[in-house]
Amino acid sequence: MSTTGATADPLAALGELPGVAESVESVRTSVDRVYGHRIMRRRSNQITAEAALRGARGSAALSGADWALEEVRRRTDFSVDGESRTVGAALRLTAEAGQLLSIWRQSPLRVLARLHLVAAAGKEGEVGRPRLPGEAVDEPLVELPLPGAAEVSGRLEGLSELIVAGGAAPALVTAAVVHGELLALRPFTSHNGLVARAAERIVLVGSGLDPKSVCPAEVGHGELGRAAYLAALGGYVSGTPDGMAAWIAHCGKAVGLGARESTAVCEALQRGAA
């Protein structure tokens, strides 16, 4: 991760980049709109469950398994082929993320290891730990240069220290950095995209921005499309102020679209159509 200068709170420094404050405010407005909906007062658990399903579908789509929502809802066997296993992994991560909120701020690396273990269930020897020197990475949709294992280890430690230290950075900025750093590093031998998006969700929920987990950024990332996602990620990897700001803005748009999705679900429930 690159920042704009030496500071005790580099994440907060990213929040001062041009346009980032506007993204943060836009996200807050979108989230407040969902939480202010009258349906949320009576059926928030139902909105949370629906957001989890839709978020998992969006994350799986970005990892190459672009299924219709009703197919995800209907299917019970997620072991048939590669696509079904990807969807199954996304669903498991969505369910697991909510159980790890209390651990994240004290031990983010432990949470990341657990997320990978859950996503890559059944792969003996490679799960739940960062990749070793010489190990290949199965992440075909992200074609950026792959950092070596030593760099991965150092940058993961640095990211962990930032999370544990806390700071004044807006939740959107922290979530975007966690997401971008994990995708840039691809620290595991597989399922890095799914893990990165689950970690972003943990930050957004655990920070208090979206405590009921009803604004699935994964929906927005999927709606914006893989090409835009990878282009924005390239900005993050560049480390330039403009590139970093563009990635944070992209993540902000994704959260806003996730919030819009849940607002539409609230409206449908209010009309009695869902």
Side-chain angles (χ1 to χ4, degrees):
M1 181 188 71
S2 298
T3 62
T4 55
T7 172
D9 193 349
L11 294 180
L14 293 176
E16 298 172 0
L17 291 173
V20 170
E22 290 83 351
S23 293
V24 169
E25 182 59 28
S26 177
V27 164
R28 170 51 67 188
T29 299
S30 297
V31 172
D32 286 348
R33 187 175 298 118
V34 180
Y35 278 83
H37 200 286
R38 60 185 298 180
I39 289 294
M40 282 292 293
R41 293 195 292 271
R42 296 183 285 114
R43 301 172 72 174
S44 63
N45 289 344
Q46 189 172 351
I47 305 302
T48 296
E50 188 64 21
L53 183 72
R54 294 176 184 227
R57 194 217 73 82
S59 190
L62 285 171
S63 286
D66 192 359
W67 287 14
L69 179 63
E70 290 310 312
E71 177 66 10
V72 178
R73 200 188 303 277
R74 179 191 68 80
R75 187 73 70 93
T76 57
D77 183 358
F78 295 98
S79 62
V80 175
D81 53 26
E83 284 198 6
S84 63
R85 285 190 289 273
T86 295
V87 175
L91 289 166
R92 291 193 301 274
L93 283 174
T94 300
E96 186 72 15
Q99 310 303 314
L100 300 172
L101 294 171
S102 63
I103 305 172
W104 174 254
R105 285 296 299 271
Q106 287 73 43
S107 186
L109 296 185
R110 180 181 165 195
V111 169
L112 293 176
R114 175 62 186 170
L115 290 174
H116 186 246
L117 182 67
V118 169
K123 288 193 174 183
E124 297 288 337
E126 297 179 0
V127 299
R129 60 159 177 79
R131 54 187 165 84
L132 302 175
E135 286 187 322
V137 173
D138 180 15
E139 202 73 39
L141 302 180
V142 179
E143 299 179 351
L144 295 167
L146 188 67
E151 181 180 351
V152 168
S153 178
R155 286 172 64 174
L156 281 178
E157 286 293 342
L159 182 64
S160 176
E161 289 170 5
L162 287 174
I163 299 302
V164 172
L172 171 64
V173 172
T174 303
V177 167
V178 168
H179 185 169
E181 192 73 354
L182 292 174
L183 267 185
L185 294 177
R186 282 146 290 162
F188 303 109
T189 58
S190 65
H191 298 87
N192 290 285
L194 293 176
V195 168
R197 291 183 288 275
E200 179 186 48
R201 172 111 309 275
I202 286 173
V203 175
L204 293 170
V205 174
S207 68
L209 176 64
D210 180 20
K212 294 184 182 293
S213 193
V214 296
C215 302
E218 305 94 327
V219 167
H221 286 302
E223 186 172 334
L224 290 167
R226 191 179 303 150
Y229 184 66
L230 295 177
L233 177 62
Y236 177 87
V237 172
S238 76
T240 65
D242 286 348
M244 298 290 283
W247 170 249
I248 294 168
H250 185 85
C251 291
K253 290 177 184 175
V255 178
L257 289 169
R260 187 181 72 177
E261 182 91 352
S262 286
T263 300
V265 172
C266 288
E267 293 292 331
L269 289 171
Q270 184 167 283
R271 294 192 305 268

